[in-house]
Amino acid sequence: MTLRRRLVLSIVALVVAVSAVIGAGSIIALFSIQRAAIDEQLSFATTRAQRSVEQQGPGGPGLEIGRPSGQSAGTLTVYFLNGNAVVGSVLDNAGDVDRLTASAVRPLGDLTVDGDAHTVDLGDDLGRYRVTAVPLGPAVLVVGLPMTPVYESVWKLFAVVLVVTVLALLVAIALAAVVVRRSLRPLERVAETASSVARMPLERSDALDGVRVPDTDPRTEVGRVGAAFNRMLGHIAGAMQARERSEQKVRQFVADASHELRTPLASVRGYAELTRRMGADLPQDVVYAMSRIESESKRMTSMVEDLLLLARLDEGREIQFADVDLTGLVLDAVNDAHAASPDHVIAVDLPEEPVEVTGDAARLHQVIVNLVTNARTHTPEGTRITVGIARVPGGVDLTVRDDGQGIDPEFLPKLFERFARADSSRSRSAGSTGLGLAIVDAVVQAHGGSVEVASVPGDTVFTVHLPATRSVGPIERPVTGADPTV
């Protein structure tokens, strides 16, 4: 149940409880007041009845005992002698005296003669009466007044209380809903701000700029919560800015270091190559050492170039958009891969017409080469590698599939991280730098696309989704060594 509903129900329950208490108190008070008034009238009626009996003389009272001056309609008078009712009468609304029936007189014979008022039920004809029994010589005189007016007043008041309670309940529901809605509006704004922050991709330091709770009045509970929430957002934004500055420094360092390393690496490589070409005048082991220096300098130069490319991609550079023939890039990459790895079966799965996308041709070619190289490097000889293109709604899917041993499921979440390698070997001949797939991910994201991988033993698929595709005219290119039938 929501807080708003709980508050409304609590207010309504409080109104109902207060109305019930007030109504019950009013009814009890009315009943007590009117019964006290009846008892006072009964006292006067008893005095008048006593005088009437005394005026009857020694012959005993008759029906006129119930007609003394001042008696109200409904006044009951019974004269008991030796425990037997001698006369029992009741005064009707017309002022006439009617004789009581035996069934009405019978409950009055058990009354305690103490002069106090008692409530007695005299049956359906007369109903409840307030009666008193007083001694009168050897006899007992019972006088009573009807309680019907009292009960009618109580029931009328009960109906009024019920109607008023229902009306108050309806008004309370409406007012409580309005008041609670207005009172909780600041809290709802806090909740909406928190929800919007929870949905935000907090990757940039300016993501939280302008996202604040407007209710910060320190005199209210919600205002204090809003102020605390804004301070927390400020701390988060500050931490994000500090992280971004730190990452920027690291990127700048990598870019600067990579840029500065290119020249000495080129010199090392050049001198090593020059020395190796003078091998006729050098010992064989020196020639071999120079060849290894040249080889490793090439590897190091490649890694430096990759680091520099990643740094530039992080800064939003290195991407020059133009119309690119994606089909031609795939065919070129497959031809190169087939020449570099003749022991793998490398095939293509392309549409009938070439596919063109908007992007950077050099970088997209690097994506394809890196994915194919990754498949060749981490699968045994004889593995089938298929590079395909498929048009999908909103873009183009480029897939690289192999039927190798698959990728460890525990390694999949960090597959596109920099320097992430599925094996623990750091040997350049056994493994890679761990930057190839990171470059793939960075280039694809720079193109506004996405890259995914699904792998089970015998079927590993890398899927690159590129947006904004379109078809162009047929372009004929030879595919050396590739299997176009897949």
Side-chain angles (χ1 to χ4, degrees):
M1 188 180 298
T2 61
L3 177 60
R4 177 185 300 176
R5 184 171 298 178
R6 288 201 300 268
L7 290 175
V8 171
L9 291 180
S10 299
I11 294 174
V12 171
L14 181 61
V15 171
V16 171
V18 172
S19 300
V21 171
I22 294 176
S26 301
I27 292 173
I28 294 173
L30 177 64
F31 180 78
S32 300
I33 292 172
Q34 291 203 345
R35 189 176 65 177
I38 289 290
D39 291 345
E40 185 176 0
Q41 295 176 13
L42 181 61
S43 176
F44 291 125
T46 301
T47 301
R48 288 189 289 267
Q50 287 177 328
R51 291 175 183 173
S52 176
V53 172
E54 292 173 353
Q55 293 173 1
Q56 295 288 327
L63 286 177
E64 295 301 320
I65 191 177
R67 196 201 290 273
S69 176
Q71 298 290 62
S72 60
T75 302
L76 176 146
T77 307
V78 181
Y79 183 78
F80 285 95
L81 182 63
N82 298 325
N84 297 318
V86 177
V87 177
S89 63
V90 63
L91 192 64
D92 61 16
N93 294 330
D96 298 330
V97 178
D98 297 332
R99 184 179 297 277
L100 290 174
T101 62
S103 60
V105 173
R106 189 177 301 112
L108 300 174
D110 300 330
L111 287 176
T112 302
V113 184
D114 53 6
D116 295 333
H118 302 275
T119 302
V120 179
D121 188 0
L122 300 182
D124 296 335
D125 294 335
L126 298 178
R128 289 182 175 272
Y129 262 72
R130 191 71 172 169
V131 299
T132 182
V134 295
L136 194 63
V140 175
L141 180 64
V142 177
V143 181
L145 291 175
M147 292 287 289
T148 301
V150 176
Y151 290 121
E152 288 179 352
S153 300
V154 169
W155 280 110
K156 289 180 181 178
L157 179 61
F158 177 78
V160 171
V161 169
L162 184 61
V163 172
V164 171
T165 301
V166 172
L167 292 178
L169 180 61
L170 296 178
V171 173
I173 292 175
L175 290 179
V178 174
V179 172
V180 169
R181 183 181 296 109
R182 290 183 177 179
S183 300
L184 292 182
R185 195 165 295 164
L187 188 59
E188 291 177 351
R189 287 193 285 267
V190 174
E192 290 174 358
T193 304
S195 299
S196 64
V197 171
R199 293 191 298 267
M200 286 182 179
L202 302 179
E203 298 175 353
R204 299 176 53 185
S205 60
D206 59 350
L208 295 178
D209 289 353
V211 181
R212 293 296 185 271
V213 178
D215 305 280
T216 57
D217 189 351
R219 296 172 297 178
T220 64
E221 292 82 356
V222 177
R224 290 194 293 271
V225 172
F229 189 77
N230 287 344
R231 287 195 298 271
M232 181 186 68
L233 292 180
H235 295 330
I236 294 175
M240 292 172 60
Q241 291 174 358
R243 184 196 66 182
E244 190 171 277
R245 288 193 297 268
S246 176
E247 291 179 351
Q248 183 62 30
K249 291 179 181 179
V250 173
R251 294 193 189 101
Q252 189 63 40
F253 170 76
V254 172
D256 293 344
S258 301
H259 182 75
E260 295 298 328
L261 285 173
R262 295 169 74 184
T263 300
L265 283 174
S267 299
V268 170
R269 178 181 174 184
Y271 281 114
E273 184 178 358
L274 178 61
T275 304
R276 180 177 55 82
R277 289 181 178 180
M278 297 171 57
D281 301 329
L282 296 175
Q284 189 64 30
D285 54 348
V286 174
V287 174
Y288 175 76
M290 289 299 103
S291 66
R292 297 304 305 150
I293 292 175
E294 182 183 357
S295 175
E296 293 304 316
S297 65
K298 290 180 180 179
R299 293 179 184 273
M300 193 170 182
T301 300
S302 175
M303 184 174 65
V304 167
E305 294 290 345
D306 290 344
L307 288 173
L308 185 58
L309 173 61
L310 286 172
R312 290 175 175 174
L313 289 173
D314 289 338
E315 295 176 357
R317 298 185 295 170
E318 280 297 307
I319 297 297
Q320 298 178 357
F321 289 94
D323 292 340
V324 178
D325 179 15
L326 189 61
T327 303
L329 296 181
V330 169
L331 294 177
D332 292 341
V334 168
N335 286 334
D336 295 342
H338 188 272
S341 182
D343 295 327
H344 284 77
V345 180
I346 304 176
V348 294
D349 181 9
L350 304 176
E352 292 294 333
E353 296 182 354
V355 177
E356 190 174 89
V357 297
T358 300
D360 189 311
R363 300 281 77 85
L364 290 178
H365 181 266
Q366 189 173 11
V367 167
I368 302 171
V369 170
N370 284 6
L371 290 176
V372 175
T373 302
N374 181 75
R376 291 191 298 104
T377 303
H378 297 93
T379 56
E381 297 179 358
T383 300
R384 186 181 188 85
I385 301 172
T386 304
V387 184
I389 300 176
R391 294 185 178 90
V392 295
V396 170
D397 279 352
L398 168 69
T399 59
V400 177
R401 181 188 299 269
D402 68 74
D403 56 1
Q405 69 276 15
I407 303 174
D408 186 356
E410 296 182 357
F411 183 71
L412 285 176
K414 56 182 180 180
L415 187 63
F416 294 99
E417 296 179 1
R418 299 176 186 184
F419 298 104
R421 300 171 66 244
D423 52 29
S424 59
S425 172
R426 305 308 301 175
S427 170
R428 291 294 153 260
S429 61
S432 62
T433 62
L435 295 176
L437 293 182
I439 291 175
V440 169
D441 184 55
V443 171
V444 171
Q445 289 189 19
H447 281 77
S450 61
V451 57
E452 300 175 352
V453 59
S455 179
V456 294
D459 186 25
T460 298
V461 183
F462 285 82
T463 302
V464 175
H465 177 75
L466 297 173
T469 61
R470 57 180 179 170
S471 299
V472 297
I475 301 176
E476 296 182 358
R477 289 180 179 83
V479 184
T480 305
D483 182 3
T485 63
V486 180

